[in-house]
Coordinates of all heavy atoms in Angstrom, one line a residue:
L73 N 31.0 9.8 86.0 CA 29.7 9.2 85.8 C 28.6 10.1 86.3 O 28.5 10.4 87.5 CB 29.6 7.8 86.5 CG 28.3 7.0 86.3 CD1 28.1 6.6 84.9 CD2 28.3 5.8 87.2
T119 N 39.4 15.9 68.5 CA 38.2 16.5 68.0 C 37.2 15.4 67.5 O 36.0 15.5 67.8 CB 38.5 17.5 66.8 OG1 39.4 16.8 65.9 CG2 39.1 18.8 67.3
G124 N 34.9 15.5 70.9 CA 33.8 16.0 70.1 C 32.5 15.5 70.6 O 31.5 16.2 70.9
E131 N 27.0 19.7 75.9 CA 26.3 20.9 75.4 C 24.8 20.7 75.2 O 24.0 21.5 75.5 CB 27.0 21.4 74.1 CG 26.4 22.7 73.5 CD 26.5 23.9 74.4 OE1 27.2 23.9 75.4 OE2 25.9 24.9 74.0
F151 N 31.9 9.0 81.1 CA 33.0 9.5 80.4 C 34.3 8.8 80.9 O 34.7 9.0 82.1 CB 33.2 11.0 80.5 CG 32.0 11.8 80.0 CD1 31.6 13.0 80.6 CD2 31.2 11.3 78.9 CE1 30.5 13.7 80.1 CE2 30.1 12.0 78.5 CZ 29.8 13.2 79.1
A162 N 35.8 2.2 82.3 CA 34.5 1.8 81.9 C 33.9 0.6 82.7 O 32.8 0.6 83.0 CB 34.5 1.5 80.4
E167 N 30.4 -1.5 87.1 CA 30.2 -2.0 88.4 C 29.4 -1.0 89.3 O 28.5 -1.5 90.0 CB 31.6 -2.2 89.1 CG 32.4 -3.3 88.6 CD 31.6 -4.7 88.6 OE1 31.0 -5.0 89.7 OE2 31.6 -5.3 87.6
G195 N 26.3 7.2 46.4 CA 26.4 8.7 46.4 C 26.1 9.3 47.7 O 26.4 10.5 47.9
S210 N 45.4 -11.3 71.3 CA 46.8 -11.3 71.0 C 47.5 -12.5 71.4 O 47.3 -13.0 72.6 CB 47.5 -10.1 71.6 OG 47.0 -8.9 71.1
V215 N 59.2 -20.2 69.6 CA 60.0 -21.5 69.3 C 61.3 -21.4 70.1 O 62.0 -20.4 70.0 CB 60.3 -21.6 67.8 CG1 60.9 -23.0 67.5 CG2 59.0 -21.4 67.0
G217 N 65.1 -23.3 71.0 CA 66.1 -24.2 70.4 C 67.4 -24.1 71.0 O 67.5 -23.6 72.1
R243 N 49.1 -17.9 54.6 CA 48.4 -18.5 53.4 C 47.1 -19.1 53.7 O 46.4 -19.5 52.8 CB 49.4 -19.7 52.9 CG 50.5 -19.2 52.2 CD 51.2 -20.3 51.4 NE 52.6 -20.0 51.1 CZ 53.7 -20.7 51.3 NH1 53.5 -21.9 51.9 NH2 54.8 -20.3 51.0
M273 N 23.6 -6.6 46.0 CA 23.6 -6.1 47.3 C 22.3 -6.4 48.0 O 22.2 -6.8 49.2 CB 23.9 -4.6 47.4 CG 25.3 -4.3 47.1 SD 25.7 -2.6 46.9 CE 25.7 -2.1 48.7
A312 N 72.2 -10.7 68.3 CA 73.5 -10.4 67.6 C 73.5 -11.1 66.2 O 73.0 -12.1 66.0 CB 74.6 -10.9 68.5
N314 N 76.0 -12.6 64.7 CA 76.7 -13.9 64.6 C 76.2 -14.9 65.6 O 77.0 -15.9 65.9 CB 78.2 -13.6 64.7 CG 78.6 -13.0 66.0 OD1 77.7 -12.6 66.8 ND2 79.8 -13.0 66.3
V324 N 51.1 -12.0 67.3 CA 50.0 -12.0 66.3 C 48.8 -11.2 66.9 O 48.3 -11.6 68.0 CB 49.6 -13.4 65.9 CG1 48.6 -13.4 64.7 CG2 50.8 -14.3 65.6
N325 N 48.3 -10.2 66.3 CA 47.2 -9.5 66.7 C 46.0 -9.9 65.9 O 46.0 -9.8 64.6 CB 47.4 -7.9 66.6 CG 46.3 -7.2 67.3 OD1 45.4 -6.6 66.7 ND2 46.3 -7.2 68.6
I328 N 38.7 -10.8 66.0 CA 37.8 -12.0 65.8 C 36.4 -11.6 65.3 O 35.7 -10.7 65.9 CB 37.6 -12.7 67.2 CG1 38.9 -12.9 67.9 CG2 36.8 -14.0 67.0 CD1 38.9 -13.5 69.3
L330 N 32.4 -11.8 64.3 CA 31.2 -12.3 64.9 C 31.0 -13.7 64.3 O 31.0 -14.0 63.1 CB 30.1 -11.4 64.4 CG 28.7 -11.5 65.1 CD1 28.8 -11.0 66.5 CD2 27.7 -10.6 64.3
P362 N 28.4 -9.2 72.0 CA 27.0 -9.7 71.6 C 26.4 -8.7 70.6 O 26.6 -7.5 70.7 CB 26.3 -9.8 72.9 CG 27.2 -9.6 74.0 CD 28.5 -9.0 73.4
A375 N 14.5 1.0 70.4 CA 15.7 1.8 70.7 C 16.5 2.1 69.4 O 16.8 3.3 69.2 CB 16.6 1.1 71.7
I409 N 25.6 -5.4 81.2 CA 24.4 -5.0 81.8 C 23.4 -4.4 80.9 O 22.3 -3.9 81.3 CB 24.7 -3.9 82.9 CG1 25.5 -2.7 82.3 CG2 25.4 -4.4 84.1 CD1 25.4 -1.4 83.2
K423 N 36.4 10.7 54.2 CA 37.4 9.6 54.3 C 38.7 10.1 55.0 O 39.3 9.5 55.8 CB 37.7 9.1 52.9 CG 38.4 7.7 52.9 CD 38.3 7.1 51.5 CE 38.7 5.6 51.5 NZ 40.1 5.4 51.5
E427 N 40.6 8.9 58.4 CA 42.0 8.4 58.4 C 42.8 9.2 59.4 O 43.9 8.7 59.8 CB 42.6 8.5 57.0 CG 42.1 7.4 56.1 CD 42.3 7.6 54.6 OE1 42.9 8.6 54.2 OE2 41.9 6.7 53.8
I429 N 42.0 9.9 62.4 CA 41.9 9.4 63.8 C 43.1 8.5 64.1 O 43.4 7.7 63.3 CB 40.5 8.6 63.9 CG1 39.3 9.6 63.7 CG2 40.4 7.9 65.2 CD1 38.0 8.9 63.6
E434 N 43.9 15.6 62.8 CA 42.6 15.3 63.2 C 41.8 16.6 63.3 O 42.2 17.6 63.9 CB 42.6 14.7 64.6 CG 41.3 14.0 65.1 CD 41.5 13.3 66.4 OE1 42.6 13.0 66.8 OE2 40.5 13.1 67.1

Side-chain angles (χ1 to χ4, degrees):
L73 182 65
T119 44
E131 180 64 8
F151 301 148
E167 287 308 311
S210 294
V215 187
R243 283 194 199 130
M273 290 174 76
N314 60 349
V324 191
N325 191 256
I328 311 173
L330 193 68
I409 55 165
K423 193 163 195 284
E427 284 167 0
I429 295 173
E434 192 176 341

